[in-house]
Amino acid sequence: MTGAIDDVGARASAAAAVSAAAAAAAPGGGGGGGGGGASFAPDAAATWALLEDGGYGAARSLVVQFDDDPIDQSLRLAAALAGRFGLARVPFRRLRGDHLTPNRPSREVGALARAVADFWDESAE
């Protein structure tokens, strides 16, 4: 059971790191890239530093790119993950939606949920 709890913790950490990096980079986000807006911790710079300096330990991470996200950093994130963990391939999904898709009810959220579930099913094999 401990392994399952650790796995859930790793998933949450990975999701939080990616979400914080993307949200903080948004205009008005908490990353110092615009005035005001919500605060995110860690901010974008700290998130990238965690990844680059070895503080991010989830070697198996799914990178999701939305087709209508003008502030997308998924390619940079995939490259950083590949470099950090010496991966030849980083799991990557491109889905319909925009930067806020994961935060609102829509059909695209269902597609995101399926992509994440498929990713974890593949990981278990």
Side-chain angles (χ1 to χ4, degrees), residues 58-113:
R60 181 123 169 97
S61 297
L62 173 65
V63 177
V64 176
Q65 180 182 58
F66 291 100
D67 65 356
D68 189 23
D69 185 351
I71 59 173
D72 175 71
Q73 295 187 41
S74 58
L75 296 177
R76 177 182 174 201
L77 178 60
L81 287 167
R84 162 79 173 94
F85 296 107
L87 303 173
R89 182 181 154 282
V90 173
F92 193 92
R93 302 292 187 279
R94 182 173 169 90
L95 302 173
R96 289 186 52 200
D98 60 29
H99 193 72
L100 298 177
T101 294
N103 298 314
R104 66 175 172 258
S106 68
R107 285 192 176 121
E108 287 80 14
V109 171
L112 175 60

